Amino acid sequence: MPITDWLPAAVRAQARERKLKAGEALFRLGDKSAGFVEVVSGRVRLSRVDRAGRETVLYVAAPGDTVAEASLFSPRYHCDAIASTDASVRIYPKAAVLAAFAQDSKAAQGFAATLAQQVMTLRTRLEQRNIRSARERVRHFLALNAGEDGRTVDLSGATLKEVAAELGLSHEALYRTLSALERAGEIARAGTTITLSRARAAV
Amino acid sequence: MPITDWLPAAVRAQARERKLKAGEALFRLGDKSAGFVEVVSGRVRLSRVDRAGRETVLYVAAPGDTVAEASLFSPRYHCDAIASTDASVRIYPKAAVLAAFAQDSKAAQGFAATLAQQVMTLRTRLEQRNIRSARERVRHFLALNAGEDGRTVDLSGATLKEVAAELGLSHEALYRTLSALERAGEIARAGTTITLSRARAAV
DNA sequence: CGAGTGATTGACTTAGATCAATGACCGTGG
DNA sequence: CCACGGTCATTGATCTAAGTCAATCACTCG
């Protein structure tokens, strides 16, 4: 869900760019919230540090991800944001965003729609993680990512390693599972595309 | 995030109640969207059925959960909603909700805030699932759920079995991990409460 | 032409799932 | 008032799927 889908150009124009060195903090728990953030390059992790000094990672944002949307409605940040690699980000000032929402209810709806969509996607992904078996997990993934025709999955743009990470599997496990499915005749692979065979064992 | 936190009473008053028998569909993919849904009792699953007739579960909603928020912004539902048990739900009519948002930008913001909060929670939960080791997973959970003092986790209201499900562990694994942590002196347990010991090995 | 990365496959190990059994509680119906 | 059925909490034994380590091949990029 690219940010351009819902954020009015007028607001986007007010973004502040910022470069971060690996290890540098973008904001810290308790800081006054400046706005929400889009990661342009690098990785930024959100985390909390407990009394014992131990860091608990909440999320690792990759390019294209946005974080701290909730800070729009809160005076302070609720966790730390730290660059895991050299990174660059865009900060969308809270005041500008909220003003846009107040004036233009379409913009607010677009924002809500994007968030609702994300909630759905995340719930689905979480559901996926409840599946224990690698094979079932991969089937779940393929079923959900099949294109219009319901039987073709196009991976172009993502490496299998990335898919493995999304599935919560080691890349080796994914390779093996895919070959097993292929050997079993459930899928056929051609380069960047996977085709589901119609003949499927009943569940 | 209870629905009363953000949905204006005027809209709540317009909810339609509906009872479902186990197996009965609340809506189906492609149906015109009536509004979003709060599950009052029972379980409702969201799923899709692929060409081969195989059902892929996207999410299982329990009492208190809301589903199909995104349908507010879409003319049709994008999946099936089927009662897994006898269930009752409340449907909040789209028109009423959207009208409230248009008139009262506070309501729209409240909605967005709730969604943003959920996105954060879900991302965190997903991050948790990326942790392979049961022990680390439990530590992550405890660190995130520690109360104000940063070292007390109160489980009242949730059984350990429920916690295990949330963590994506078998309940046995959770029991064992907790006893191991206790034996190791990392935590102390007293009935429904778990206390983190300050003395923690450095990471 | 190396260096770096993805894709793939083999061998080995282990953490956690699964199956099982037990005790503590709790409500409830006779 | 108590026996009975149900659920949670807990622990033991066993098994296997998936992680980890490792090696190879194909590419691509300066």
Side-chain angles (χ1 to χ4, degrees):
Chain A
M1 309 127 199
I3 210 165
T4 52
D5 282 5
W6 54 273
L7 198 64
V11 177
R12 267 182 283 132
Q14 295 183 58
R16 285 190 289 110
E17 296 258 349
R18 184 161 165 201
K19 307 267 178 208
L20 300 164
K21 296 272 177 208
E24 190 180 348
L26 172 57
F27 56 76
R28 296 246 175 221
L29 184 150
D31 286 357
K32 280 202 1 203
S33 56
F36 77 95
V37 174
E38 174 192 5
V39 176
V40 176
S41 70
R43 304 263 166 184
V44 176
R45 68 178 186 274
L46 302 185
S47 59
R48 288 204 195 118
V49 176
D50 65 22
R51 208 124 320 193
R54 191 186 166 82
E55 181 181 17
T56 303
V57 176
L58 307 178
Y59 182 58
V60 180
D65 291 341
T66 55
V67 297
E69 292 93 338
S71 73
L72 291 175
F73 311 108
S74 157
R76 311 202 161 260
Y77 290 111
H78 292 298
C79 60
D80 297 345
I82 309 201
S84 289
T85 65
D86 287 1
S88 82
V89 301
R90 275 197 273 271
I91 303 167
Y92 296 93
K94 188 162 151 170
V97 177
L98 290 178
F101 288 172
Q103 270 159 32
D104 174 4
S105 92
K106 283 289 164 229
Q109 285 198 9
F111 181 56
T114 306
L115 290 174
Q117 176 64 44
Q118 278 191 57
V119 166
M120 198 164 73
T121 305
L122 287 165
R123 281 177 183 165
T124 299
R125 194 120 51 152
L126 210 41
E127 186 68 31
Q128 177 158 247
R129 295 300 184 92
N130 282 337
I131 301 173
R132 206 68 63 176
S133 129
R135 175 175 285 224
E136 285 304 317
R137 207 125 114 190
V138 171
R139 281 188 184 137
H140 190 270
F141 172 82
L142 292 175
L144 285 178
N145 291 82
E148 290 308 300
D149 64 355
R151 70 175 47 136
T152 311
V153 182
D154 184 25
L155 297 179
S156 62
T159 70
L160 283 181
K161 285 184 84 162
E162 284 162 356
V163 173
E166 178 178 333
L167 289 175
L169 295 173
S170 64
H171 55 279
E172 296 99 321
L174 177 60
Y175 296 142
R176 284 190 245 270
T177 305
L178 285 176
S179 351
L181 288 175
E182 196 170 18
R183 269 198 307 280
E186 273 190 43
I187 63 172
R189 303 169 65 187
T192 178
T193 298
I194 297 178
T195 309
L196 293 288
S197 320
R198 61 244 113 280
R200 280 297 304 287
V203 186
Chain B
M1 311 126 199
I3 209 165
T4 52
D5 282 5
W6 54 273
L7 198 64
V11 177
R12 268 183 282 132
Q14 295 183 59
R16 286 190 288 112
E17 296 258 349
R18 184 161 164 200
K19 307 268 178 207
L20 299 165
K21 295 273 178 207
E24 191 180 347
L26 171 57
F27 56 76
R28 296 246 175 220
L29 184 151
D31 286 357
K32 279 200 3 203
S33 57
F36 78 96
V37 174
E38 174 193 5
V39 176
V40 176
S41 71
R43 305 262 164 183
V44 176
R45 69 177 184 274
L46 302 186
S47 59
R48 286 204 197 120
V49 176
D50 65 21
R51 209 124 320 193
R54 191 185 165 85
E55 181 180 17
T56 303
V57 176
L58 307 178
Y59 181 60
V60 180
D65 290 342
T66 55
V67 297
E69 293 92 339
S71 73
L72 292 175
F73 311 108
S74 157
R76 311 202 162 260
Y77 289 111
H78 292 299
C79 60
D80 298 345
I82 307 200
S84 289
T85 66
D86 287 1
S88 83
V89 301
R90 275 197 273 273
I91 304 167
Y92 296 93
K94 189 164 151 168
V97 177
L98 290 179
F101 288 171
Q103 270 159 32
D104 174 5
S105 92
K106 282 287 165 232
Q109 285 199 8
F111 180 56
T114 306
L115 290 174
Q117 176 64 45
Q118 278 191 56
V119 166
M120 199 164 74
T121 306
L122 287 166
R123 280 178 183 164
T124 299
R125 194 120 54 152
L126 212 40
E127 186 67 32
Q128 177 157 248
R129 294 300 185 90
N130 282 337
I131 302 173
R132 206 68 65 179
S133 129
R135 176 176 285 224
E136 285 306 316
R137 206 125 113 189
V138 171
R139 281 188 185 136
H140 190 270
F141 172 82
L142 292 175
L144 285 178
N145 291 82
E148 290 308 300
D149 64 356
R151 71 175 48 137
T152 311
V153 182
D154 185 24
L155 297 178
S156 64
T159 69
L160 284 180
K161 285 184 83 162
E162 283 162 356
V163 173
E166 179 176 333
L167 290 176
L169 294 173
S170 65
H171 55 278
E172 295 99 323
L174 176 60
Y175 295 141
R176 283 190 244 270
T177 305
L178 286 176
S179 352
L181 288 176
E182 196 171 17
R183 270 197 308 278
E186 272 190 45
I187 64 171
R189 302 169 66 187
T192 179
T193 297
I194 297 178
T195 309
L196 293 286
S197 320
R198 62 244 111 279
R200 281 297 303 287
V203 186

